[in-house]
Amino acid sequence: MSIEDDKKKVEKALDKIKNRLLVFSGKGGVGKSTVAANLALAFSKQGKKIGLLDIDIHGPNLAKMLGVEDKRMETSADGIKPVAVNKNLGLVSMSFLLEDPNLPVIWRGPMKMKAIQQFLGDVTWGDLDWLIIDSPPGTGDEPLSIAQLIPASGAVIVTTPQEVSLMDSRKAIAFARKLNLDITGIIENMSGLTCPHCGENIDLFKQGGGQKAAAELGIPFLGKIPINPDIVTLGDEGKSFLDSHPDSEASKAFMKIVEKIIKK
Ligand SMILES: Nc1ncnc2c1ncn2[C@@H]1O[C@H](COP(=O)(O)OP(=O)(O)O)[C@@H](O)[C@H]1O
Ligand SMILES: [Mg+2]
């Protein structure tokens, strides 16, 4: 098959999806995967049909975060089926493939982009309201080529609150432009921490950098997610933070952000 045929096949696999949202950041470790997973859960709680794609080939971790790392995608004559996280949310992750000991070397070599593209063309997403894509970290050539394999329409940029995040956000915007993406907005993650002992707020990484960046760059600001140690613990245990702590500030923030995105 030619590259053009592969591209068409991917387009066809995506044609019953109403909205495709790429979640990315200027750098790694800012909580991009955490945000992608919790946004997907928040959308699914709103009754939306959601697909989540973990296309990070070097460190795919959404299957672990969502407690489905032992499951496998089923293959039928129609194609490859996402793993069900809940009744509204299906996950396709590179981790399901990469952990296969019989994985062909093609996945690690120079042909890997073509292999990923072929794989994406075989996924049967079905009718979805949103596809949320967790992209590989950074804004370099590899994340760009991977993001190009799965054409998204909108993009959410995740940043932390330090003022240097403005620089990262600039890079992120240039990245979004290269991909012809409509920027839905910026999310400021790890924004403040409520002390579990005294209830006082601690601005561990300062506050407001994401908001400031959004204002300066003329992009919508979607909201702030505070630091919550349970996000780390539950993520490591593969349990849904949003379901375990629906009344926490962080969960409320995720739900509000999703409402904003739906209204757009
Ligand atoms: N709001 C938050 N509060 C507490 N911990 C967080 C928060 N967001 C992310 N984390 C933790 O930070 C680490 C990095 O997050 P991750 O989503 O893997 O980042 P990225 O995908 O950008 O590399 C993880 O251990 C995650 O649990
Ligand atoms: Mg990640």
Side-chain angles (χ1 to χ4, degrees), residues 120-173:
L120 292 172
D122 286 334
V123 176
T124 51
W125 292 105
D127 291 296
L128 293 182
D129 293 305
W130 296 83
L131 177 65
I132 316 270
I133 307 155
D134 183 17
S135 56
T139 51
D141 286 341
E142 189 172 279
L144 189 68
S145 4
I146 293 177
Q148 273 164 342
L149 295 179
I150 183 121
S153 38
V156 164
I157 300 171
V158 181
T159 181
T160 44
Q162 302 93 319
E163 264 163 56
V164 286
S165 67
L166 186 59
M167 260 161 57
D168 296 319
S169 305
R170 280 218 176 86
K171 269 196 276 175
I173 286 168

Side-chain angles (χ1 to χ4, degrees), residues 32-33 56 61 134:
K32 187 169 54 63
S33 299
D56 187 343
N61 49 15
D134 183 17

Side-chain angles (χ1 to χ4, degrees), residues 4-178:
E4 275 310 307
D5 288 339
D6 283 333
K7 257 196 196 155
K8 277 193 202 134
K9 220 177 137 199
V10 175
E11 276 295 343
K12 192 159 184 308
L14 300 174
D15 73 358
K16 285 194 235 146
I17 302 174
K18 292 191 193 121
N19 305 284
R20 307 171 208 156
L21 201 61
L22 183 74
V23 179
F24 71 103
S25 59
K27 59 172 194 243
V30 299
K32 187 169 54 63
S33 299
T34 303
V35 169
N38 284 287
L39 287 184
L41 286 164
F43 270 114
S44 76
K45 272 178 173 294
Q46 296 268 358
K48 302 287 177 195
K49 291 280 177 210
I50 303 299
L52 181 60
L53 172 64
D54 186 356
I55 200 165
D56 187 343
I57 43 176
H58 299 296
N61 49 15
L62 289 184
K64 180 165 171 53
M65 269 185 201
L66 293 166
V68 292
E69 64 177 333
D70 296 332
K71 299 206 181 144
R72 287 292 168 265
M73 296 179 289
E74 280 168 34
T75 311
S76 72
D78 297 333
I80 302 164
K81 258 180 69 181
V83 165
V85 176
N86 64 37
K87 73 176 188 350
N88 288 335
L89 173 60
L91 171 71
V92 167
S93 172
M94 294 297 143
S95 62
F96 297 128
L97 302 170
L98 296 171
E99 272 149 28
D100 182 345
N102 300 317
L103 186 75
V105 279
I106 191 170
W107 279 93
R108 307 187 193 277
M111 291 293 286
K112 83 181 162 204
M113 291 300 161
K114 192 167 164 59
I116 296 171
Q117 190 171 39
Q118 278 177 355
F119 161 73
L120 292 172
D122 286 334
V123 176
T124 51
W125 292 105
D127 291 296
L128 293 182
D129 293 305
W130 296 83
L131 177 65
I132 316 270
I133 307 155
D134 183 17
S135 56
T139 51
D141 286 341
E142 189 172 279
L144 189 68
S145 4
I146 293 177
Q148 273 164 342
L149 295 179
I150 183 121
S153 38
V156 164
I157 300 171
V158 181
T159 181
T160 44
Q162 302 93 319
E163 264 163 56
V164 286
S165 67
L166 186 59
M167 260 161 57
D168 296 319
S169 305
R170 280 218 176 86
K171 269 196 276 175
I173 286 168
F175 183 81
R177 296 227 166 97
K178 275 188 216 155

Side-chain angles (χ1 to χ4, degrees), residues 28-34 61 65 189-190 225-228 231-232:
V30 299
K32 187 169 54 63
S33 299
T34 303
N61 49 15
M65 269 185 201
N189 187 34
M190 308 198 186
I225 316 286
I227 294 175
N228 186 321
I231 291 185
V232 183

